[in-house]
Structure formats: C-alpha cells, structure tokens
C-alpha cells in the first residue's frame, strides 16, 4: 500500500516532537507533506522553531515547516510552560535550526494541499490546539469533504481534564476551533487522555530509547525524563504520558487502539466545564456519532513500535 499522506499540525512540545520523529522514521507508512505549527504549549515563534529543530534532529531538513495562527480564534492564548519548560522543548539544549521556515502561511498550505491532492487522500494529524484546522475549514469549506481522515490528540472523558478539572489542554486552548472541527463532518479519530494516560514512559521504556546509543534515542530519553517529572508529581504515576505519538502510531498500527464511534460535543459556554469534550460513551442521547473516540491502547505494542522506528533515525 502507498504511504498515507499526512499534514502534522503541532505545537512542539516534547511529546509532539516524538510524534514528528515517529512519522519521519516511517516512510513506508507515512508521507509527511508538511508540518504546520500553531500556538499552544508555547507561543508560535517557539513552536515553529521547535518543529524545525525536530526535523533536523531526524536528519530530514527537507521537510516543509509552516507557521500558522499565533492565537486562538476568540481567546487569549493559554500556554503550558509548566509542563514543557520555557522553550517548549526543555531538556538538553539544542542548536537553533538552519533549515528554512516556509514563506506560506500554514492555513494557506492546508487549503492548497487539500485542493491539489486527489480528494480523500490527505489525513490531518492535529496534536495541538485546533486553530489552524478550524480557520482553514472556515475559510475554505470545500476542503472538508476532501479530507481523508482527521486523527487528533485532544479531549478526555473518563480522565476528564488536565488543564482544568474538566478540560484537556488542546481543546481548552481553542474550544471554538475544536467545535468547528468536531462538527465539520470529516471522518474523525480522537486520542483522548483516556488513551494517552495509559501510554506511560516507565523506566524500562526510557532505558530502551537510551540503549539505542543514537542522538535521537538519547534526546527522546532526556525529553521524557524532563517532562515526566510533572505528571509523576501530579498523578503519582510511574511515568508521563506520551500523548501525541498515539496519533501517528494509530496510522501505522490501528489495531493497537480500541474505542467507540460516538457523539462528542465541545462545551464552549459553561464556566466549570468550559472546553470539555462531552462524549456520549454510553450512547444515552440520540445525537449522531461524529467521532471514533478511543479508550484503550496496547501500551507495550505502542512502545515496541516507537523503539523500533526511532532506532532507524
Ligand atoms: C496535550 O497538551 C500538550 O501539552 C501535549 O503536547 C498534548 O498535545 C495533552 O493534553
Ligand atoms: Ca501537542
């Protein structure tokens, strides 16, 4: 089968970085048409720069990186330096990238790519706030039916929230954008915290990265060491969740994941549940299903896939 063509929409972020590395390490499965940066974990000048740092680390400086929206559609940007550090990619210091940033705006790239490529052959992988995708859908509604699938990291149901008691970070930062994307009608696969909180970086798993004795292996081990301190303190868990690579792993080995095709709505009005993904897991409403909402992951299989693929870089 020909590799799946994807656009990664991202706000790196150590876990975003691992997602990008996994995609770039898997050319037989995935062709990365471009990486579009959005403001999220840190402001846009850092996320676009971090995306380029990661491409260079992967030895793929020819990858096209575009800068997109620098703020949510209707709100002030909320960032997550408390998790990812001041640069978004805290851990060992990495050199500034020398590969260029593309001139085109990320939203224009998304629109142009979906119009140019044959219909339903391009998959969107948003792993940050959904601003770029929603703005593209609003500006060019004709592209929505041309999307093959959207495979995103965001939301939660059983795990509820991480940035507020009821909201997950990516959805919370730009809930109006999330609402547009969840209502768009494109095939949607959601990797919520319910999945990613089961994909923990345990000591053995981090050691497997280090045992590669490569720059990428060392860096991934150091990144996960850095950002796991936050979740270990917060949840008392064995390690930190590697959220974003779940989307890319799904494209390579979908059988690692299990979920339900259900209705998921985004709360944008209520004060206490603002940014919540209200998932009708038990199918107690007659609202139409709009998302494949994942709940379970074969975490050992996921980490085995990551280790095998990252060892190639
Ligand atoms: C999401 O928020 C970000 O901090 C991570 O990169 C991930 O995309 C998890 O809630
Ligand atoms: Ca992210």
């Amino acid at each position: 089968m020909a590799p799946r063509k994807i656009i990664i929409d991202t706000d790196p972020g150590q876990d975003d970085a691992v997602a990008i590395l996994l995609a770039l390490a898997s050319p037989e499965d995935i062709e990365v048409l471009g990486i579009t940066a959005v403001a999220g974990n840190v402001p846009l000048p850092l996320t676009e720069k971090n995306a380029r740092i990661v491409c260079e680390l992967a030895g793929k400086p020819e990858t096209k990186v575009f800068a997109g929206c620098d703020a949510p559609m209707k709100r002030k940007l909320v960032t997550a330096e408390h998790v990812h550090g001041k640069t978004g990619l805290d851990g060992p210091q990495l050199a500034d990238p020398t590969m260029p940033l593309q001139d085109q705006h990320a939203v224009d790239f998304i629109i142009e790519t979906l119009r140019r490529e044959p219909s339903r052959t391009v998959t969107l992988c948003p792993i940050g706030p959904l601003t770029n995708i929603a703005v593209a859908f609003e500006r060019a509604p004709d592209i929505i039916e041309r999307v093959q699938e959207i495979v995103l990291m965001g939301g939660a149901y059983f795990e509820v929230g991480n940035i507020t008691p009821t909201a997950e970070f990516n959805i919370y930062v730009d809930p109006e954008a999330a609402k547009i994307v969840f209502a768009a009608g494109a095939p949607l696969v959601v990797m919520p915290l319910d999945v990613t909180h089961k994909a923990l970086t345990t000591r053995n798993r981090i050691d497997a990265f280090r045992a590669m004795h490569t720059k990428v292996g060392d860096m991934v081990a150091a990144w996960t060491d850095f950002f796991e301190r936050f979740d270990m303190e917060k949840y008392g868990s064995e390690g930190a969740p590697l959220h974003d690579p779940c989307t890319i792993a799904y494209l390579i080995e979908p059988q690692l994941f299990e979920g339900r095709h259900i209705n998921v709505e985004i709360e944008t009005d209520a004060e206490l549940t603002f940014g919540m993904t209200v998932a009708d897991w038990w199918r107690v409403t007659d609202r139409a299903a709009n998302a494949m909402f994942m709940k379970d992951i074969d975490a050992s299989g996921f980490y085995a896939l990551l280790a095998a693929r990252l060892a190639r870089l």
Side-chain angles (χ1 to χ4, degrees), residues 7-30:
I7 296 173
I8 303 178
D9 189 71
T10 175
D11 61 339
Q14 293 89 349
D15 61 322
D16 300 73
V18 178
I20 294 169
L21 292 173
L22 177 60
L24 293 178
S26 306
E28 72 273 51
D29 298 300
I30 291 171

Side-chain angles (χ1 to χ4, degrees), residues 26 43 66 84 102 115 169-170 173 197 221 233 243 246 261 278:
S26 306
F66 302 82
H84 301 274
Q102 300 296 309
R115 284 182 176 160
F169 179 78
N170 289 342
V173 172
H197 280 181
E233 274 167 31
H243 307 280
C246 291
H261 191 231
V278 180

Side-chain angles (χ1 to χ4, degrees), residues 11 16 41 127 244:
D11 61 339
D16 300 73
N41 285 323
I127 52 179
D244 294 338

Side-chain angles (χ1 to χ4, degrees), residues 129-241:
L130 288 157
T131 321
N132 285 342
I133 310 295
V135 171
F137 283 2
E138 279 224 316
R139 204 176 288 166
D142 57 290
I143 63 174
I144 296 172
E145 63 171 29
R146 302 182 67 81
V147 174
Q148 181 178 13
E149 201 170 29
I150 301 171
V151 182
L152 67 84
M153 190 280 135
Y157 183 62
F158 295 95
E159 289 283 314
V160 205
N162 60 359
I163 185 77
T164 75
T166 53
E168 181 279 332
F169 179 78
N170 289 342
I171 305 295
Y172 178 79
V173 172
D174 199 344
E176 282 81 14
K179 196 166 198 149
I180 290 170
V181 172
F182 276 71
L188 183 58
V189 177
V190 180
M191 294 292 167
L193 297 180
D194 308 309
V195 167
T196 66
H197 280 181
K198 294 174 186 142
L200 298 179
T201 54
T202 59
R203 196 47 34 212
N204 285 347
R205 289 167 180 167
I206 296 186
D207 287 346
F209 296 135
R210 219 165 251 125
M212 288 172 196
H213 300 296
T214 63
K215 206 169 158 196
V216 167
D218 287 347
M219 193 56 67
V220 170
W223 279 336
T224 44
D225 266 346
F226 175 85
F227 92 129
E228 77 171 359
R229 84 214 181 289
F230 175 77
D231 284 273
M232 287 168 80
E233 274 167 31
K234 181 172 163 194
Y235 297 109
S237 53
E238 238 193 305

